[in-house]
Every structure is written in C-alpha cells, then in structure tokens.
Amino acid sequence: QEYPALGSAVPMQRSVLPPSLVKYDTPILINSQQNRRGKGGAGRGRQQLPPVDHRPRPNPTQDILDSILPPREFEEDNQVWIQHCSSNPATRLDVITLQEQLDKLLIQRQARENGICPVREEMYNQTFDELIRQVTIHCSERGLLLLRVRDELRMRIAAYQTLYESSIAFGLRKALQAEQGKAETEDKIARLIAEKRELEKQVAELKAKCEANERREGERRALEEKKHAEEVAFLKRNNLQLRSQLESILAPKKDR
C-alpha cells in the first residue's frame, strides 16, 4: 500500500491502533522509520513532535486539545504516522452516536455490568475524554476544569486500587501467619493432650496405690484390734483365775 507525500492526510485503512471512542482526525505521515532512527529515535507521546512544513499552524484550541489528549503515533510499513484529536464541534447526533457506540462496545467486549471490570473502566474513560474534547472546543476553560476533575478521579481510583492491593497483601500475610500459628497451636494442643493423658495415667496409678495402702492399713488395723481384743480377753480371764485362786487361798484362813 502506498501513502501520499509527507504531511498529507490519509485514511486509516491499516491502522494498528485499537478503536477509540475519542474522535480523532485523519492520520498524517510525519516521517519514515529510517529517518526517525537517523535522527536519534525521538520519543513518542508527550515529547515534542517534529514540525510539518505545510501543515497550518495549530490554533489555541488545538493546542489545548493536544495537551489534554496527546496525539497518537503509530508505525506502519516503516513509516511513522500521527493522529490528532479532532477539533470539530460535536453535534447532538454525535453525542447520540457516542452513546450508541459505548453501548455497542460494552456488549462486544463483554464488559461486566457490576463489580470491577477493566474493560468497562476503559470504555467509560474514553467516553469521558470524548466529552472533555467536545466541551473544550466550545469553552476551553470548562474543558480544562473537566480535565482536573478527570485527573483527580483517576488519582483517587489509583489510590483506592493501591489501598485494595495493599489490603489484599496484608490479608494474605495475616492468613499465612494465622496458618502458621494454627499449626503451632495444633502442635501445642497435641502436646498438652499427651501430657494430660500421661498425668491422668499417673493419677490413676496413684489412686490405685492409695486404695491398696488403705486396704492394707485397714486390714492391719483390724488385725491389731483383733489381737488387742484377744489380749484383753486373755488378761481378763487370767485376772479372774488369779482372783479366784487368791480368794480360795484366803478363805480357809478366815474360817480358822
């Protein structure tokens, strides 16, 4: 495919850029890949673009649009192309078409209706950028104010995302710590249960010893009491015999 001379407008028939809801002008050839490398490989995006001789000097509105929505660069067939956002005012039909395209892309790219969805976020970001472009053309101050609102929202979302990722990492760390603590606690519980069983076994053995000692002591006491009773009975019988003998000895003397 052949392209027109440097600086002329060409249709994007083989554009490598993804489709965007932001309205851009026709791409313009700014340089070839060989010349670009020969000049030291100037940067893309927000860096200063090489001048185009026959292109008309941009108006202040275009400068503001370029600062809000930087021109897009892409390479094709060793040639570098640039595409500025359109400075044409938007009509009511353009807004309706933008809404229809948004709904169509959300369905085509299968964006989720609820929850976190990068596809839906990207589509609404492009829609917001297109609305900023349309407003900036009519009132640059209002467009710059909307730009501040957009940047603030993006910074806030980035902060929330960082906070969310940090909370996820914190939760994972706490979960790992809890898992490690759980294993240690389970080991401690198992050790304490084993110690408890050992102590219960010792208590049972000591109770058995105490009961055996009580039985032996009871038997010994009963035996001693029986022996003591027999001794007492023997002494009583012996005492009675001695008393009777003494009385029999003393009785004849009284008769005389």
Side-chain angles (χ1 to χ4, degrees):
Q1 182 178 358
E2 296 182 357
Y3 292 92
L6 180 65
S8 59
V10 296
M12 289 186 61
Q13 297 177 355
R14 297 174 55 193
S15 174
V16 296
L17 293 175
S20 175
L21 294 175
V22 180
K23 188 176 182 180
Y24 284 89
D25 288 332
T26 304
I28 299 175
L29 179 63
I30 59 173
N31 206 341
S32 64
Q33 181 68 14
Q34 291 82 356
N35 294 337
R36 182 178 179 86
R37 292 177 179 175
K39 292 182 180 179
R44 304 179 187 175
R46 296 181 179 274
Q47 297 184 1
Q48 185 176 2
L49 300 175
V52 181
D53 296 336
H54 72 282
R55 184 184 176 189
R57 184 177 182 86
N59 53 39
T61 302
Q62 186 65 51
D63 291 339
I64 295 175
L65 289 176
D66 290 342
S67 64
I68 296 175
L69 302 171
R72 303 192 300 181
E73 283 190 32
F74 64 96
E75 298 175 3
E76 186 176 353
D77 295 338
N78 295 327
Q79 291 178 324
V80 182
W81 301 80
I82 187 172
Q83 190 178 27
H84 293 266
C85 63
S86 175
S87 59
N88 296 327
T91 61
R92 181 175 179 272
L93 180 60
D94 292 335
V95 178
I96 297 176
T97 304
L98 175 64
Q99 181 178 357
E100 294 176 351
Q101 290 178 349
L102 173 62
D103 296 336
K104 182 179 179 180
L105 286 177
L106 289 175
I107 296 175
Q108 288 181 351
R109 300 187 61 177
Q110 298 180 353
R112 293 193 295 268
E113 296 182 359
N114 300 316
I116 299 176
C117 179
V119 175
R120 190 179 76 248
E121 180 182 358
E122 179 185 359
M123 293 295 97
Y124 277 98
N125 284 338
Q126 293 181 7
T127 304
F128 195 26
D129 290 341
E130 171 62 16
L131 293 177
I132 292 177
R133 184 196 70 83
Q134 296 177 7
V135 172
T136 304
I137 295 174
H138 294 283
C139 180
S140 58
E141 291 79 5
R142 190 180 303 159
L144 292 174
L145 183 58
L146 285 177
L147 175 64
R148 290 181 57 185
V149 174
R150 183 200 70 179
D151 293 341
E152 175 64 25
L153 290 176
R154 289 183 178 179
M155 287 190 298
R156 184 173 301 179
I157 293 175
Y160 288 155
Q161 184 176 2
T162 303
L163 181 61
Y164 172 75
E165 293 174 355
S166 300
S167 63
I168 291 296
F170 178 78
L172 290 177
R173 288 196 301 269
K174 287 298 182 181
L176 292 176
Q177 293 177 1
E179 191 67 22
Q180 295 176 356
K182 179 181 179 181
E184 295 177 357
T185 304
E186 289 178 351
D187 294 339
K188 185 177 180 180
I189 290 173
R191 186 173 63 255
L192 292 175
I193 290 175
E195 293 178 359
K196 176 177 173 289
R197 290 176 180 174
E198 184 65 24
L199 292 175
E200 288 178 349
K201 183 179 179 181
Q202 295 178 6
V203 168
E205 292 177 354
L206 292 175
K207 284 184 177 179
K209 289 182 180 180
C210 289
E211 292 176 356
N213 291 332
E214 288 178 357
R215 285 195 301 270
R216 286 196 299 269
E217 184 65 21
E219 293 174 356
R220 186 185 64 80
R221 188 183 301 110
L223 184 60
E224 289 181 354
E225 290 179 354
K226 181 179 180 181
K227 184 178 179 181
H228 178 70
E230 290 177 352
E231 290 178 356
V232 170
F234 174 75
L235 292 174
K236 286 182 178 180
R237 287 196 304 271
N238 192 16
N239 188 20
L240 290 174
Q241 291 178 0
L242 292 174
R243 183 179 294 177
S244 61
Q245 290 178 4
L246 180 59
E247 290 177 353
S248 62
I249 292 171
L250 295 176
K253 292 180 179 182
K254 290 180 180 181
D255 293 339
R256 292 178 184 177

